[in-house]
Amino acid sequence: MPRLELQASLYGHKGAVWSVAWSPRGLLASCGADKTVRVWHRAEGGAWRSVAVFGDATFVRAVRDLSWASDGRSLACASFDASAFVLELMGGKTPHLEAAVSLEGHDSEVKSVAYSSSGALLASCSRDKSVWVWEVGLDFDYECIAVLNGHAADVKMVAWHPTVEMLVSTSFDGTVRVWVEDEDDWFCAETLAGHNGTVWAAAFGEGGTGLATVAADGGLAIWSRENPPANLAGANPAFQVVARYPKLHAGPIYSVDWNKSNSLLATGGGDDCIRIIQCTEISSPNAPSETSKTKEESTANGSVPEQSAITSNLKKRCEVMATEMRAHSGDVNRVAWNPIDQDILASSGDDGLVKIWKYCSDVDKKANGT
């Protein structure tokens, strides 16, 4: 049976670690309640160590989220002190982080930041219900080019499409909004409502045709944007739900990430658990949903069935490939696949730890002769 194997537990933060983010070069950044940002590197011998720490008095409150630019040098940070900062990773034998620019404007806690795939745009979102889009210029010159309003409550996360300038935002209001640009004017092209309660996170996959969302209801929804228009502004993005896992976790799901290499999804939530999911096509979309156990059996003792497939008579089914029930001693706040090594997953939790996992499939076992 596929499984997650713990490779390393990284100590250094004091208090909850809110987020982890991989750089294009495989460095790992983390941030947390201790108002610090750390950068981790795996040495040639395989051991992980902290190579840079940034804190000082820059952040007044907890650092909630991180995003690397495509250059692997700029690291955006979201802070509960209503600001966003961009740090610069300086090279050399002793790497270190330096504050490059402070992005002011939000009226309340900044919950998430995300660079577009090109690095030309940065999005930020806040408890003030707004999403800001920043244009990235030379020499850390950032200019706000749009303030997007539409959510009725706290905006939890922003995520960019991998190939085009399409932005999604998730919110306490239970919706996901899809934002696109038309002649320098950003607007909400679509509002997705597929969960009960706060939508905590979203991740694009399958080259951008797929979108995964997770929420306080413990469920996972997979949306597909089939036959996308060439001109985003000229047509509604038209996302449709193609698969659901109504009770994937026994509590709220705080994070989801879609592996860009093998199409596996990872989720982490308030039940201290990490799950690895695979979505596959259903041969007959109108066939009855498959469930290996009843809902009552699934949620007994705070667990859900492994290797089960739960759909809603849709086009795909979601199968749990691996589960780590006690991944952290507390909420799992973030999961993130390594962009270079497709089998490596990082996670962060309320227990103050960053953990590195390896996904081992049945194929790996056969290759090793086990």
Side-chain angles (χ1 to χ4, degrees):
M1 180 181 296
R3 67 199 184 279
L4 284 174
E5 287 188 352
L6 182 63
Q7 304 296 296
S9 294
L10 310 183
Y11 296 81
H13 284 285
K14 297 178 181 178
V17 184
W18 286 113
S19 185
V20 286
W22 294 97
S23 82
R25 295 179 291 173
L27 294 174
L28 182 66
S30 61
C31 63
D34 60 4
K35 300 177 282 189
T36 67
V37 174
R38 288 179 176 267
V39 176
W40 309 83
H41 170 67
R42 185 182 182 186
E44 292 184 1
W48 287 84
R49 63 186 183 93
S50 176
V51 295
V53 182
F54 184 87
D56 301 327
T58 299
F59 302 111
V60 179
R61 298 180 61 191
V63 185
R64 185 65 176 83
D65 194 26
L66 299 163
S67 179
W68 289 95
S70 55
D71 62 7
R73 187 168 64 100
S74 301
L75 179 63
C77 310
S79 174
F80 277 0
D81 62 12
S83 66
F85 280 86
V86 178
L87 307 181
E88 182 180 9
L89 179 65
M90 308 298 287
K93 294 183 179 180
T94 56
H96 63 282
L97 293 165
E98 292 186 358
V101 63
S102 175
L103 307 179
E104 307 289 342
H106 284 290
D107 294 331
S108 189
E109 301 168 356
V110 180
K111 296 298 184 70
S112 177
V113 286
Y115 278 105
S116 63
S117 59
S118 66
L121 298 173
L122 174 72
S124 61
C125 67
S126 169
R127 190 177 180 180
D128 64 12
K129 309 176 189 178
S130 72
V131 176
W132 290 43
V133 180
W134 308 80
E135 187 174 54
V136 182
L138 297 175
D139 298 324
F140 296 96
D141 181 20
Y142 285 68
E143 178 185 359
C144 179
I145 58 172
V147 176
L148 310 178
N149 294 297
H151 282 292
D154 186 353
V155 188
K156 296 298 186 182
M157 184 180 184
V158 284
W160 289 96
H161 188 280
T163 60
V164 297
E165 291 182 352
M166 173 191 289
L167 179 69
V168 297
S169 56
T170 71
S171 174
F172 184 79
D173 65 13
T175 69
V176 178
R177 285 184 175 260
V178 183
W179 308 90
V180 296
E181 184 184 22
D182 182 15
E183 297 181 355
D184 297 327
D185 182 24
W186 285 83
F187 67 99
C188 180
E190 191 170 6
T191 300
L192 311 180
H195 292 280
N196 294 318
T198 303
V199 184
W200 282 100
F204 280 101
E206 299 180 334
T209 61
L211 176 69
T213 57
V214 293
D217 57 15
L220 165 72
I222 304 296
W223 309 75
S224 181
R225 180 171 160 265
E226 299 179 356
N227 301 318
N231 179 11
L232 289 177
N236 192 309
F239 281 97
Q240 297 181 341
V241 176
V242 294
R244 289 187 188 276
Y245 205 130
K247 197 62 180 176
L248 178 60
H249 284 250
I253 306 178
Y254 295 128
S255 181
V256 61
D257 195 27
W258 208 323
N259 196 310
K260 304 303 184 289
S261 299
N262 56 27
S263 296
L264 292 173
L265 292 109
T267 58
D271 55 359
D272 311 347
C273 172
I274 294 175
R275 296 190 186 277
I276 306 299
I277 303 95
Q278 185 173 50
C279 290
T280 56
E281 298 286 340
I282 298 175
S283 56
S284 177
N286 294 321
S289 302
E290 298 181 38
T291 55
S292 63
K293 296 184 181 181
T294 66
K295 182 178 180 181
E296 288 74 21
E297 292 173 319
S298 299
T299 56
N301 301 319
S303 64
V304 298
E306 292 189 21
Q307 303 293 356
S308 66
I310 300 178
T311 69
S312 300
N313 299 326
L314 300 171
K315 297 180 180 180
K316 294 186 178 183
R317 66 176 185 175
C318 298
E319 183 178 3
V320 177
M321 305 302 294
T323 297
E324 188 66 32
M325 291 301 299
R326 293 288 292 171
H328 286 267
S329 299
D331 294 352
V332 180
N333 296 317
R334 186 59 58 94
V335 289
W337 291 106
N338 188 318
I340 298 175
D341 190 337
Q342 66 179 26
D343 296 324
I344 298 299
L345 179 76
S347 65
S348 62
D350 276 1
D351 56 7
L353 296 178
V354 174
K355 292 189 176 183
I356 309 296
W357 308 86
K358 181 177 182 180
Y359 175 72
C360 300
S361 66
D362 288 333
V363 174
D364 297 328
K365 287 184 179 181
K366 293 176 182 178
N368 293 328
T370 58

